[in-house]
Tab-separated table of all heavy atoms in Angstrom:
chain	number	residue	atom	x	y	z
O	110	GLY	N	7.193	7.695	12.766
O	110	GLY	CA	6.941	6.321	12.346
O	110	GLY	C	5.581	6.216	11.697
O	110	GLY	O	4.840	7.194	11.590
O	111	VAL	N	5.246	5.021	11.251
O	111	VAL	CA	3.925	4.719	10.694
O	111	VAL	C	3.295	3.651	11.574
O	111	VAL	O	3.889	2.590	11.804
O	111	VAL	CB	4.022	4.224	9.239
O	111	VAL	CG1	2.643	3.837	8.713
O	111	VAL	CG2	4.643	5.299	8.345
O	112	VAL	N	2.094	3.932	12.086
O	112	VAL	CA	1.386	3.016	12.976
O	112	VAL	C	0.320	2.281	12.173
O	112	VAL	O	-0.483	2.911	11.478
O	112	VAL	CB	0.728	3.769	14.152
O	112	VAL	CG1	0.070	2.790	15.112
O	112	VAL	CG2	1.749	4.642	14.872
O	113	LYS	N	0.320	0.948	12.273
O	113	LYS	CA	-0.678	0.149	11.574
O	113	LYS	C	-1.395	-0.746	12.576
O	113	LYS	O	-0.769	-1.345	13.450
O	113	LYS	CB	-0.030	-0.698	10.476
O	113	LYS	CG	0.604	0.146	9.370
O	113	LYS	CD	1.003	-0.674	8.161
O	113	LYS	CE	1.534	0.216	7.053
O	113	LYS	NZ	1.865	-0.548	5.820
O	114	CYS	N	-2.714	-0.805	12.427
O	114	CYS	CA	-3.536	-1.547	13.380
O	114	CYS	C	-4.678	-2.203	12.626
O	114	CYS	O	-5.252	-1.613	11.710
O	114	CYS	CB	-4.064	-0.594	14.451
O	114	CYS	SG	-5.152	-1.356	15.672
O	115	GLN	N	-5.036	-3.431	13.026
O	115	GLN	CA	-6.110	-4.166	12.362
O	115	GLN	C	-7.413	-4.010	13.157
O	115	GLN	O	-7.403	-4.059	14.386
O	115	GLN	CB	-5.780	-5.660	12.266
O	115	GLN	CG	-4.371	-5.951	11.762
O	115	GLN	CD	-4.055	-5.279	10.452
O	115	GLN	OE1	-4.775	-5.467	9.486
O	115	GLN	NE2	-2.998	-4.495	10.418
O	116	MET	N	-8.510	-3.837	12.423
O	116	MET	CA	-9.810	-3.715	13.078
O	116	MET	C	-10.664	-4.935	12.754
O	116	MET	O	-10.255	-6.056	12.997
O	116	MET	CB	-10.488	-2.413	12.656
O	116	MET	CG	-9.743	-1.176	13.134
O	116	MET	SD	-9.700	-0.996	14.935
O	116	MET	CE	-11.398	-0.587	15.268
O	117	GLU	N	-11.896	-4.738	12.166
O	117	GLU	CA	-12.721	-5.893	11.844
O	117	GLU	C	-11.978	-6.796	10.885
O	117	GLU	O	-11.254	-6.357	10.012
O	117	GLU	CB	-14.059	-5.495	11.207
O	117	GLU	CG	-14.950	-4.722	12.129
O	117	GLU	CD	-14.775	-3.226	11.953
O	117	GLU	OE1	-13.941	-2.828	11.116
O	117	GLU	OE2	-15.456	-2.470	12.641
O	118	GLN	N	-12.222	-8.088	11.029
O	118	GLN	CA	-11.484	-9.041	10.223
O	118	GLN	C	-12.412	-9.756	9.250
O	118	GLN	O	-13.610	-9.904	9.479
O	118	GLN	CB	-10.804	-10.080	11.127
O	118	GLN	CG	-10.138	-9.483	12.366
O	118	GLN	CD	-9.144	-8.395	12.012
O	118	GLN	OE1	-8.551	-8.413	10.941
O	118	GLN	NE2	-8.981	-7.437	12.892
O	119	ALA	N	-11.833	-10.229	8.155
O	119	ALA	CA	-12.596	-11.019	7.182
O	119	ALA	C	-12.894	-12.380	7.788
O	119	ALA	O	-12.039	-13.009	8.399
O	119	ALA	CB	-11.779	-11.182	5.903
O	120	LEU	N	-14.119	-12.875	7.609
O	120	LEU	CA	-14.503	-14.148	8.204
O	120	LEU	C	-14.218	-15.346	7.291
O	120	LEU	O	-14.368	-16.476	7.696
O	120	LEU	CB	-16.006	-14.127	8.543
O	120	LEU	CG	-16.420	-13.037	9.533
O	120	LEU	CD1	-17.901	-13.157	9.834
O	120	LEU	CD2	-15.610	-13.103	10.817
O	121	HIS	N	-13.820	-15.087	6.048
O	121	HIS	CA	-13.516	-16.183	5.146
O	121	HIS	C	-12.519	-15.679	4.112
O	121	HIS	O	-12.297	-14.495	3.964
O	121	HIS	CB	-14.784	-16.683	4.445
O	121	HIS	CG	-15.447	-15.633	3.619
O	121	HIS	ND1	-16.254	-14.653	4.171
O	121	HIS	CD2	-15.402	-15.376	2.281
O	121	HIS	CE1	-16.700	-13.859	3.214
O	121	HIS	NE2	-16.180	-14.263	2.060
O	122	LEU	N	-11.922	-16.627	3.428
O	122	LEU	CA	-10.919	-16.274	2.432
O	122	LEU	C	-11.546	-16.148	1.062
O	122	LEU	O	-12.216	-17.050	0.590
O	122	LEU	CB	-9.835	-17.358	2.362
O	122	LEU	CG	-8.866	-17.426	3.543
O	122	LEU	CD1	-7.933	-18.600	3.340
O	122	LEU	CD2	-8.085	-16.156	3.686
O	123	ASP	N	-11.352	-15.022	0.424
O	123	ASP	CA	-11.605	-14.931	-0.999
O	123	ASP	C	-10.712	-13.821	-1.546
O	123	ASP	O	-10.016	-13.153	-0.794
O	123	ASP	CB	-13.090	-14.674	-1.314
O	123	ASP	CG	-13.604	-13.367	-0.748
O	123	ASP	OD1	-12.904	-12.339	-0.865
O	123	ASP	OD2	-14.712	-13.381	-0.200
O	124	PHE	N	-10.751	-13.628	-2.846
O	124	PHE	CA	-9.796	-12.708	-3.427
O	124	PHE	C	-10.311	-11.270	-3.435
O	124	PHE	O	-9.665	-10.392	-3.983
O	124	PHE	CB	-9.408	-13.177	-4.829
O	124	PHE	CG	-8.660	-14.466	-4.764
O	124	PHE	CD1	-9.252	-15.633	-5.191
O	124	PHE	CD2	-7.397	-14.513	-4.221
O	124	PHE	CE1	-8.572	-16.827	-5.111
O	124	PHE	CE2	-6.717	-15.699	-4.137
O	124	PHE	CZ	-7.302	-16.865	-4.577
O	125	GLY	N	-11.445	-11.031	-2.785
O	125	GLY	CA	-11.894	-9.667	-2.602
O	125	GLY	C	-11.476	-9.131	-1.243
O	125	GLY	O	-11.712	-8.001	-0.909
O	126	THR	N	-10.851	-9.990	-0.423
O	126	THR	CA	-10.419	-9.574	0.904
O	126	THR	C	-8.946	-9.884	1.063
O	126	THR	O	-8.276	-10.328	0.149
O	126	THR	CB	-11.221	-10.332	1.986
O	126	THR	OG1	-10.980	-11.738	1.816
O	126	THR	CG2	-12.707	-10.066	1.849
Side-chain angles (χ1 to χ4, degrees):
V111 177
V112 183
K113 296 191 176 183
C114 178
Q115 313 306 304
M116 295 295 289
E117 295 94 359
Q118 317 305 331
L120 300 183
H121 61 280
L122 288 176
D123 62 44
F124 294 109
T126 60

